[in-house]
Amino acid sequence: MVCWPAMCPVSPVWPRKPNLWAFWVLLLVLLLSWKSWAENHFQNCRWLVVLNKFERVGALLFKDRFMDQEPMDTVTEVFQKLVDSPIDPREKYMGFPYYLKINFSCMGKNDEELVRKGHLMGLRPVILISYKYPVNFYRWKIENLQIQMEAAPLRSTGFCIAEVMCALNWYAPMPTKNGSVVMSVDIRSNGLGPYIPPRRFYVNINGYMKRDASGNPIFTIGYEVATAKWEKTFTLKSNHFKRSKSRPLWYTQNHSPVLILGGIEDEKTILLSDTNFQDFSLVELSIDSCWVGSYYCPILDFSATIHDAISTESTLFIRQNQLVYYFTGSYSALFDVSHSSSSWVRVLASECIKKLCPVFVDGNGSEYILALTTGKNEGYIHIGTITDGRVSFKMMPESWSICDKLPGSNCSINWATYIADEKNLLLLVETFSTNLVKIFYLLNFNLETQHMDILYIIPRFIPEAQDLDFLVLHGTETYTRTAMIPKGLFFNTFNNMLYIWGNFILQSYNRIHFIYLADFPKDSVIKYMVNSYQGDMAFVTEGEEIWYFLEGGYDVYRLVPSKGWDIYFSLQKLQHSFLFADQEFLVTLFYEDGQLYQLIYLVDSGDERLVKRVLPVAQLLLYEQNTPYTVATVGNFWTPSFTNLCPFKVMRLRDLPKKQHLARQELYHAPPPLVSESLGFHNNKTLAVYQGLVYYLLWLHSKYDKSCQPPPGHLTVSDRPTALRGSRARSHLALVGTQITIQGSSYQVEKKLAVAVVVADPECLDVTVNQDVLLNRKAVLYKITIKDRKVCYDQGISGHNLKKTSLMVKVLGSSGKCFQTTYLGTRTQGHLMVPLLIGCPPGKRLAFDVTYTILHSQQLNKHYFDCVVSNAEMPCFLFRDLFQPFFLVQDMVTGDSGRFLGSYLLKVVGGGRTMDTIRDYTEEEIYRYNSPLDKTNSLIWKTKAERTTQDKKFYIMSQQSPGIEWLCLENSPCHDITPQSIFAPEFFLKLLVSNRGVDTSSYCDYQLIFILHLHGLPLSAQRSLFIVLVSSSLFVGLVVFYILFCLLWPHIVKAWVSLRWKINNIMAAESFYTYATSSAALSLQSQTASEPSIKAPSNAGSRVDNALEKEVVA
């Protein structure tokens, strides 16, 4: 069931004594006049939001659960058709599983008609999604990211009479982000159309669900009670809330996506919500109800009731009887899904657990839970640590029991709280003295030193403090006969305030000295307490009374029941508010974004329902106060004159530091794509494009290699804890008072108005306050300056282990008396708590300033030679030049960039001849290559800097240090590099720059690793000599060969000519002989044939022979 706070008329009401009938008439007239004005100007409207899957966009009456976390390939087909749009066709555009379906409703109005009217008037919901950073900052980068979108109007796909009469909703992508499972969605209008108050929704990922074989979502932790069954059987089970009373809601602040609530008697069922109880489910847990192995536990009763229920970022814990179970959800956005559970896991099986105590604030990248034992291990505590879904328990103390260190008998640890930043356990221990008198101790146990201290022994009886607001306990005060019954502890990490509560309230600033708050009655016993971590606290007693308290003060107010509550309740009943009934049962009380909420079970005329509603603290206190008045005669009429009990009228803040620098918030603005439809309606394809663009924007944010330039997107901040970096942060607080007149002197002003400024850690922060009286404006201006003393934080990685503290500003005399009433409601004034975080803020990094380093190298060496083949992203530096690097401190959130002026260590931690062959060096190699103490002739570089670390192992560099001289000695990896071409050898160095332990100018522990490209490396002496000898030999050989060639060349030419002539003659003679022989044979044959008639001369052969002989001789 989804519920919303009712918009009730607000008016300046002055409660009086019950018998003042004239006051009630005046109140009724004021209310009626205010109601008439409000109805004309501000309709009672509210935003509505549900989740829809991609395939259900446009469908009516569908709501999906937020369980799918992986991106989906649902928009690729649409993007492939955008051929004329400025998109990258090579990229694969993905989408998110869900859309936000947005609508609004006004009481007593036709919703569909109002929505269509608002659309035609230009109304567009503006959505701001804020991602909560994860607990484990070692795994994920800490960043406060927001994305602002404008919802796109879409007609429903159902039947409608005419196109313009179709049901209308607005849709926007619901983007997810790795590392974030808690997301808030703020919705406001764009200023056009009807006024709808802004509203915040929590849309968290539910990792305790899966899909069955048919694709329907089911719970993995148990079985959800069906809606029909709920409506049928919950009437029978309404007695559970009547009997069980209220119970605390325990979870890790700002990090728990799913909240659970047990305490339903005799049922192993819990209330579960992933929307901070805007809606919820009743789940019967799939755990066995047997009591195996607990026979030794000192308890006789057995029940199926879930007594303790605690939720963390990824894991749920429950206690049933003395058995403890946990279930790790499936959160792929946080860790590997193999860490998740398939069923409930029982832990501490051999232990008898009597209570689970929550740890509300995470620390050191983990969450914690405390289990108190009884029976055989009484006096020990099991500390559970949850990191990335992995749960581990460790018993403390390690070698001895808490009870062994205390006198008396029957020792029992009743409550424990853990301060993760200090690794201290605060324990409330009960013992019996030798005369059987109960004694309660407040102990401190340190996990690292295993040392225990007794901080305080709680008095046996409640002190006498009649007519006092508070009493400082010194041990000498008188006491009543009412025994003190301590029930629990609460420690606020931000303001260091410790509270011991029971049938009393003790408050301490230093855990040693306590103040007794006398306004709380001793006949009431506190059952649990809740804290907003913004300066407000609330208590719930065993009698279901609700009390309110401002931290740092002494006044405790009862809200329910009270006269103010009776007035407020009556006004709500007159308006027939759905959130109120004649019979109500409180289920739990909790804070959300500084506002107090009730989860309450209503029984009204047979209609039973469970709702979440606001408990308006300021309005109840306004109705509660008895404002004095006087009656004066004005003419013929009596006119009442009321006295304002508040010492001022309005409290304003001005001249605040820029939130962008201190709140560390990044904001992206992503408007929807433009459409050509005449009425401005979108369709499923344009919504797919919208989602794909938002996905690509966040993908660029996660992958973008941010340099000196500001990151893309518009940057802004919201109200977040402040991070100090050792510099001064100034804020001006302006108080405008009605009792300060122009005629009043500054002495009178100071006497009537006083401001107190309190810091939680005065040893860490220094605060000065300057008062300036502005008589012409009837105002007093207080200028508050906060300065860090730089003694409470050493160095840390950006966003890691920030010290939590706070600043509290309080106007004396304003508690419970100062209010500001507007059409949005009533709020208190005069009290302000500002959380502060000391350390290195998120988004800071160190970067190598290549540009300035090159410019300085030109001035230092009178030249600069880049590589033959230059690379703009990795310029080269010449080996023989002095190298003096410069670095920048870049702010990834604001885009600011400035020179790093601190000290640092520079080490060569890797290298290679090419980018592909770079390897990391071992610790021994790093020492040999960088230490001035090295004796192995392995140094890569040296400098003339005189500063070194205390052990003299490494140089301490700074901007003023002389340059680096490259050595590459004999045993270094860059020595004697063989050239791969005609150009000089090159080498790539992997450099590490860190300021840890050597720099006091910054809280940030910077560490930078970058690649440096060196060229022009010299050759070794041996290789150089070898090259010279080889080159000389080759040269001499060439010269000798040339000389010999020049001397023998004429003879060679002559011999060659003679040889060629002889060869030619031989070839010619051979040819002639062959020809002459052939001719002679032919003649002889002819002569034989004609011998009778012809006869050859007898000397023919001798002539031929003579001729041949002559030719041969020649």
PDB file of all heavy atoms in Angstrom, residues 1031-1054:
ATOM      1  N   SER A1031      84.015  -0.699 -37.145  1.00  0.00           N
ATOM      2  CA  SER A1031      83.898   0.365 -38.149  1.00  0.00           C
ATOM      3  C   SER A1031      85.264   0.735 -38.725  1.00  0.00           C
ATOM      4  O   SER A1031      85.411   0.931 -39.941  1.00  0.00           O
ATOM      5  CB  SER A1031      83.231   1.595 -37.515  1.00  0.00           C
ATOM      6  OG  SER A1031      81.950   1.280 -37.032  1.00  0.00           O
ATOM      7  N   SER A1032      86.295   0.814 -37.842  1.00  0.00           N
ATOM      8  CA  SER A1032      87.639   1.151 -38.313  1.00  0.00           C
ATOM      9  C   SER A1032      88.187   0.065 -39.237  1.00  0.00           C
ATOM     10  O   SER A1032      88.794   0.363 -40.282  1.00  0.00           O
ATOM     11  CB  SER A1032      88.582   1.348 -37.122  1.00  0.00           C
ATOM     12  OG  SER A1032      88.106   2.370 -36.271  1.00  0.00           O
ATOM     13  N   SER A1033      87.954  -1.174 -38.844  1.00  0.00           N
ATOM     14  CA  SER A1033      88.440  -2.274 -39.685  1.00  0.00           C
ATOM     15  C   SER A1033      87.778  -2.244 -41.051  1.00  0.00           C
ATOM     16  O   SER A1033      88.446  -2.418 -42.086  1.00  0.00           O
ATOM     17  CB  SER A1033      88.176  -3.610 -38.991  1.00  0.00           C
ATOM     18  OG  SER A1033      88.812  -3.662 -37.738  1.00  0.00           O
ATOM     19  N   LEU A1034      86.549  -2.029 -41.038  1.00  0.00           N
ATOM     20  CA  LEU A1034      85.853  -1.948 -42.319  1.00  0.00           C
ATOM     21  C   LEU A1034      86.365  -0.780 -43.154  1.00  0.00           C
ATOM     22  O   LEU A1034      86.564  -0.903 -44.374  1.00  0.00           O
ATOM     23  CB  LEU A1034      84.342  -1.811 -42.085  1.00  0.00           C
ATOM     24  CG  LEU A1034      83.638  -3.053 -41.517  1.00  0.00           C
ATOM     25  CD1 LEU A1034      82.162  -2.731 -41.235  1.00  0.00           C
ATOM     26  CD2 LEU A1034      83.734  -4.207 -42.492  1.00  0.00           C
ATOM     27  N   PHE A1035      86.617   0.340 -42.509  1.00  0.00           N
ATOM     28  CA  PHE A1035      87.101   1.506 -43.240  1.00  0.00           C
ATOM     29  C   PHE A1035      88.496   1.266 -43.809  1.00  0.00           C
ATOM     30  O   PHE A1035      88.780   1.567 -44.986  1.00  0.00           O
ATOM     31  CB  PHE A1035      87.101   2.717 -42.319  1.00  0.00           C
ATOM     32  CG  PHE A1035      87.618   3.962 -42.958  1.00  0.00           C
ATOM     33  CD1 PHE A1035      86.838   4.679 -43.882  1.00  0.00           C
ATOM     34  CD2 PHE A1035      88.902   4.434 -42.669  1.00  0.00           C
ATOM     35  CE1 PHE A1035      87.324   5.828 -44.470  1.00  0.00           C
ATOM     36  CE2 PHE A1035      89.385   5.577 -43.269  1.00  0.00           C
ATOM     37  CZ  PHE A1035      88.600   6.283 -44.180  1.00  0.00           C
ATOM     38  N   VAL A1036      89.394   0.713 -42.973  1.00  0.00           N
ATOM     39  CA  VAL A1036      90.762   0.436 -43.447  1.00  0.00           C
ATOM     40  C   VAL A1036      90.742  -0.576 -44.584  1.00  0.00           C
ATOM     41  O   VAL A1036      91.462  -0.459 -45.596  1.00  0.00           O
ATOM     42  CB  VAL A1036      91.645  -0.066 -42.287  1.00  0.00           C
ATOM     43  CG1 VAL A1036      92.992  -0.558 -42.789  1.00  0.00           C
ATOM     44  CG2 VAL A1036      91.836   1.045 -41.268  1.00  0.00           C
ATOM     45  N   GLY A1037      89.918  -1.593 -44.418  1.00  0.00           N
ATOM     46  CA  GLY A1037      89.820  -2.587 -45.475  1.00  0.00           C
ATOM     47  C   GLY A1037      89.339  -1.977 -46.776  1.00  0.00           C
ATOM     48  O   GLY A1037      89.851  -2.308 -47.861  1.00  0.00           O
ATOM     49  N   LEU A1038      88.397  -1.087 -46.682  1.00  0.00           N
ATOM     50  CA  LEU A1038      87.909  -0.416 -47.885  1.00  0.00           C
ATOM     51  C   LEU A1038      88.994   0.453 -48.515  1.00  0.00           C
ATOM     52  O   LEU A1038      89.129   0.494 -49.752  1.00  0.00           O
ATOM     53  CB  LEU A1038      86.674   0.424 -47.544  1.00  0.00           C
ATOM     54  CG  LEU A1038      85.393  -0.363 -47.205  1.00  0.00           C
ATOM     55  CD1 LEU A1038      84.298   0.594 -46.764  1.00  0.00           C
ATOM     56  CD2 LEU A1038      84.939  -1.166 -48.414  1.00  0.00           C
ATOM     57  N   VAL A1039      89.780   1.143 -47.679  1.00  0.00           N
ATOM     58  CA  VAL A1039      90.856   2.000 -48.223  1.00  0.00           C
ATOM     59  C   VAL A1039      91.915   1.152 -48.914  1.00  0.00           C
ATOM     60  O   VAL A1039      92.395   1.463 -50.035  1.00  0.00           O
ATOM     61  CB  VAL A1039      91.469   2.846 -47.093  1.00  0.00           C
ATOM     62  CG1 VAL A1039      92.721   3.558 -47.581  1.00  0.00           C
ATOM     63  CG2 VAL A1039      90.450   3.851 -46.581  1.00  0.00           C
ATOM     64  N   VAL A1040      92.355   0.064 -48.254  1.00  0.00           N
ATOM     65  CA  VAL A1040      93.364  -0.816 -48.860  1.00  0.00           C
ATOM     66  C   VAL A1040      92.855  -1.391 -50.165  1.00  0.00           C
ATOM     67  O   VAL A1040      93.552  -1.463 -51.179  1.00  0.00           O
ATOM     68  CB  VAL A1040      93.766  -1.916 -47.871  1.00  0.00           C
ATOM     69  CG1 VAL A1040      94.646  -2.952 -48.537  1.00  0.00           C
ATOM     70  CG2 VAL A1040      94.470  -1.310 -46.661  1.00  0.00           C
ATOM     71  N   PHE A1041      91.657  -1.809 -50.144  1.00  0.00           N
ATOM     72  CA  PHE A1041      91.068  -2.366 -51.347  1.00  0.00           C
ATOM     73  C   PHE A1041      91.011  -1.326 -52.464  1.00  0.00           C
ATOM     74  O   PHE A1041      91.289  -1.634 -53.644  1.00  0.00           O
ATOM     75  CB  PHE A1041      89.660  -2.889 -51.030  1.00  0.00           C
ATOM     76  CG  PHE A1041      88.929  -3.395 -52.214  1.00  0.00           C
ATOM     77  CD1 PHE A1041      89.230  -4.659 -52.760  1.00  0.00           C
ATOM     78  CD2 PHE A1041      87.951  -2.634 -52.837  1.00  0.00           C
ATOM     79  CE1 PHE A1041      88.561  -5.122 -53.866  1.00  0.00           C
ATOM     80  CE2 PHE A1041      87.295  -3.099 -53.945  1.00  0.00           C
ATOM     81  CZ  PHE A1041      87.584  -4.359 -54.471  1.00  0.00           C
ATOM     82  N   TYR A1042      90.727  -0.091 -52.057  1.00  0.00           N
ATOM     83  CA  TYR A1042      90.674   0.975 -53.063  1.00  0.00           C
ATOM     84  C   TYR A1042      92.055   1.240 -53.674  1.00  0.00           C
ATOM     85  O   TYR A1042      92.192   1.402 -54.892  1.00  0.00           O
ATOM     86  CB  TYR A1042      90.106   2.245 -52.421  1.00  0.00           C
ATOM     87  CG  TYR A1042      90.063   3.428 -53.362  1.00  0.00           C
ATOM     88  CD1 TYR A1042      89.093   3.513 -54.361  1.00  0.00           C
ATOM     89  CD2 TYR A1042      91.017   4.452 -53.255  1.00  0.00           C
ATOM     90  CE1 TYR A1042      89.071   4.591 -55.230  1.00  0.00           C
ATOM     91  CE2 TYR A1042      90.988   5.526 -54.114  1.00  0.00           C
ATOM     92  CZ  TYR A1042      90.007   5.595 -55.105  1.00  0.00           C
ATOM     93  OH  TYR A1042      89.980   6.652 -55.956  1.00  0.00           O
ATOM     94  N   ILE A1043      93.077   1.264 -52.797  1.00  0.00           N
ATOM     95  CA  ILE A1043      94.433   1.516 -53.305  1.00  0.00           C
ATOM     96  C   ILE A1043      94.875   0.391 -54.232  1.00  0.00           C
ATOM     97  O   ILE A1043      95.428   0.624 -55.334  1.00  0.00           O
ATOM     98  CB  ILE A1043      95.419   1.678 -52.130  1.00  0.00           C
ATOM     99  CG1 ILE A1043      95.064   2.943 -51.325  1.00  0.00           C
ATOM    100  CG2 ILE A1043      96.856   1.729 -52.618  1.00  0.00           C
ATOM    101  CD1 ILE A1043      95.886   3.111 -50.071  1.00  0.00           C
ATOM    102  N   LEU A1044      94.676  -0.802 -53.780  1.00  0.00           N
ATOM    103  CA  LEU A1044      95.054  -1.930 -54.618  1.00  0.00           C
ATOM    104  C   LEU A1044      94.293  -1.920 -55.935  1.00  0.00           C
ATOM    105  O   LEU A1044      94.845  -2.230 -57.004  1.00  0.00           O
ATOM    106  CB  LEU A1044      94.810  -3.246 -53.877  1.00  0.00           C
ATOM    107  CG  LEU A1044      95.703  -3.490 -52.643  1.00  0.00           C
ATOM    108  CD1 LEU A1044      95.278  -4.777 -51.950  1.00  0.00           C
ATOM    109  CD2 LEU A1044      97.161  -3.553 -53.045  1.00  0.00           C
ATOM    110  N   PHE A1045      93.120  -1.589 -55.838  1.00  0.00           N
ATOM    111  CA  PHE A1045      92.308  -1.546 -57.044  1.00  0.00           C
ATOM    112  C   PHE A1045      92.831  -0.490 -58.021  1.00  0.00           C
ATOM    113  O   PHE A1045      92.910  -0.730 -59.244  1.00  0.00           O
ATOM    114  CB  PHE A1045      90.851  -1.260 -56.652  1.00  0.00           C
ATOM    115  CG  PHE A1045      89.924  -1.218 -57.823  1.00  0.00           C
ATOM    116  CD1 PHE A1045      89.467  -2.401 -58.422  1.00  0.00           C
ATOM    117  CD2 PHE A1045      89.515   0.001 -58.360  1.00  0.00           C
ATOM    118  CE1 PHE A1045      88.617  -2.355 -59.505  1.00  0.00           C
ATOM    119  CE2 PHE A1045      88.675   0.040 -59.443  1.00  0.00           C
ATOM    120  CZ  PHE A1045      88.205  -1.135 -60.025  1.00  0.00           C
ATOM    121  N   CYS A1046      93.193   0.702 -57.444  1.00  0.00           N
ATOM    122  CA  CYS A1046      93.698   1.759 -58.322  1.00  0.00           C
ATOM    123  C   CYS A1046      95.049   1.357 -58.976  1.00  0.00           C
ATOM    124  O   CYS A1046      95.308   1.708 -60.141  1.00  0.00           O
ATOM    125  CB  CYS A1046      93.879   3.065 -57.549  1.00  0.00           C
ATOM    126  SG  CYS A1046      92.306   3.784 -57.023  1.00  0.00           S
ATOM    127  N   LEU A1047      95.919   0.669 -58.256  1.00  0.00           N
ATOM    128  CA  LEU A1047      97.215   0.281 -58.809  1.00  0.00           C
ATOM    129  C   LEU A1047      97.097  -0.832 -59.836  1.00  0.00           C
ATOM    130  O   LEU A1047      97.811  -0.852 -60.850  1.00  0.00           O
ATOM    131  CB  LEU A1047      98.157  -0.149 -57.667  1.00  0.00           C
ATOM    132  CG  LEU A1047      98.572   0.950 -56.672  1.00  0.00           C
ATOM    133  CD1 LEU A1047      99.411   0.373 -55.542  1.00  0.00           C
ATOM    134  CD2 LEU A1047      99.348   2.055 -57.388  1.00  0.00           C
ATOM    135  N   LEU A1048      96.346  -1.746 -59.672  1.00  0.00           N
ATOM    136  CA  LEU A1048      96.244  -2.904 -60.549  1.00  0.00           C
ATOM    137  C   LEU A1048      95.233  -2.725 -61.671  1.00  0.00           C
ATOM    138  O   LEU A1048      95.137  -3.592 -62.551  1.00  0.00           O
ATOM    139  CB  LEU A1048      95.849  -4.143 -59.716  1.00  0.00           C
ATOM    140  CG  LEU A1048      96.851  -4.556 -58.633  1.00  0.00           C
ATOM    141  CD1 LEU A1048      96.313  -5.728 -57.852  1.00  0.00           C
ATOM    142  CD2 LEU A1048      98.201  -4.902 -59.258  1.00  0.00           C
ATOM    143  N   TRP A1049      94.501  -1.670 -61.621  1.00  0.00           N
ATOM    144  CA  TRP A1049      93.438  -1.504 -62.606  1.00  0.00           C
ATOM    145  C   TRP A1049      93.950  -1.423 -64.061  1.00  0.00           C
ATOM    146  O   TRP A1049      93.387  -2.093 -64.938  1.00  0.00           O
ATOM    147  CB  TRP A1049      92.600  -0.282 -62.253  1.00  0.00           C
ATOM    148  CG  TRP A1049      91.486  -0.016 -63.227  1.00  0.00           C
ATOM    149  CD1 TRP A1049      91.406   0.979 -64.133  1.00  0.00           C
ATOM    150  CD2 TRP A1049      90.335  -0.827 -63.427  1.00  0.00           C
ATOM    151  NE1 TRP A1049      90.273   0.906 -64.876  1.00  0.00           N
ATOM    152  CE2 TRP A1049      89.580  -0.232 -64.442  1.00  0.00           C
ATOM    153  CE3 TRP A1049      89.866  -2.001 -62.840  1.00  0.00           C
ATOM    154  CZ2 TRP A1049      88.379  -0.756 -64.895  1.00  0.00           C
ATOM    155  CZ3 TRP A1049      88.668  -2.509 -63.286  1.00  0.00           C
ATOM    156  CH2 TRP A1049      87.945  -1.914 -64.297  1.00  0.00           C
ATOM    157  N   PRO A1050      95.039  -0.649 -64.392  1.00  0.00           N
ATOM    158  CA  PRO A1050      95.500  -0.613 -65.790  1.00  0.00           C
ATOM    159  C   PRO A1050      95.920  -1.990 -66.306  1.00  0.00           C
ATOM    160  O   PRO A1050      95.600  -2.358 -67.439  1.00  0.00           O
ATOM    161  CB  PRO A1050      96.684   0.358 -65.752  1.00  0.00           C
ATOM    162  CG  PRO A1050      96.423   1.213 -64.568  1.00  0.00           C
ATOM    163  CD  PRO A1050      95.802   0.314 -63.569  1.00  0.00           C
ATOM    164  N   HIS A1051      96.636  -2.714 -65.473  1.00  0.00           N
ATOM    165  CA  HIS A1051      97.045  -4.046 -65.890  1.00  0.00           C
ATOM    166  C   HIS A1051      95.860  -4.971 -66.057  1.00  0.00           C
ATOM    167  O   HIS A1051      95.822  -5.800 -66.974  1.00  0.00           O
ATOM    168  CB  HIS A1051      98.036  -4.630 -64.879  1.00  0.00           C
ATOM    169  CG  HIS A1051      99.265  -3.784 -64.685  1.00  0.00           C
ATOM    170  ND1 HIS A1051     100.341  -3.778 -65.588  1.00  0.00           N
ATOM    171  CD2 HIS A1051      99.615  -2.878 -63.714  1.00  0.00           C
ATOM    172  CE1 HIS A1051     101.269  -2.941 -65.182  1.00  0.00           C
ATOM    173  NE2 HIS A1051     100.857  -2.375 -64.034  1.00  0.00           N
ATOM    174  N   ILE A1052      95.004  -4.807 -65.214  1.00  0.00           N
ATOM    175  CA  ILE A1052      93.803  -5.646 -65.306  1.00  0.00           C
ATOM    176  C   ILE A1052      93.049  -5.334 -66.587  1.00  0.00           C
ATOM    177  O   ILE A1052      92.573  -6.241 -67.288  1.00  0.00           O
ATOM    178  CB  ILE A1052      92.908  -5.437 -64.072  1.00  0.00           C
ATOM    179  CG1 ILE A1052      93.619  -5.946 -62.816  1.00  0.00           C
ATOM    180  CG2 ILE A1052      91.566  -6.136 -64.220  1.00  0.00           C
ATOM    181  CD1 ILE A1052      92.902  -5.645 -61.527  1.00  0.00           C
ATOM    182  N   VAL A1053      92.962  -4.029 -66.920  1.00  0.00           N
ATOM    183  CA  VAL A1053      92.256  -3.627 -68.154  1.00  0.00           C
ATOM    184  C   VAL A1053      92.996  -4.167 -69.380  1.00  0.00           C
ATOM    185  O   VAL A1053      92.374  -4.700 -70.318  1.00  0.00           O
ATOM    186  CB  VAL A1053      92.126  -2.104 -68.209  1.00  0.00           C
ATOM    187  CG1 VAL A1053      91.584  -1.666 -69.566  1.00  0.00           C
ATOM    188  CG2 VAL A1053      91.237  -1.607 -67.083  1.00  0.00           C
ATOM    189  N   LYS A1054      94.335  -4.028 -69.379  1.00  0.00           N
ATOM    190  CA  LYS A1054      95.124  -4.499 -70.518  1.00  0.00           C
ATOM    191  C   LYS A1054      94.995  -6.013 -70.702  1.00  0.00           C
ATOM    192  O   LYS A1054      94.823  -6.531 -71.810  1.00  0.00           O
ATOM    193  CB  LYS A1054      96.594  -4.117 -70.326  1.00  0.00           C
ATOM    194  CG  LYS A1054      97.490  -4.478 -71.524  1.00  0.00           C
ATOM    195  CD  LYS A1054      98.917  -3.996 -71.287  1.00  0.00           C
ATOM    196  CE  LYS A1054      99.809  -4.369 -72.473  1.00  0.00           C
ATOM    197  NZ  LYS A1054     101.221  -3.914 -72.269  1.00  0.00           N
TER     198      LYS A1054
END
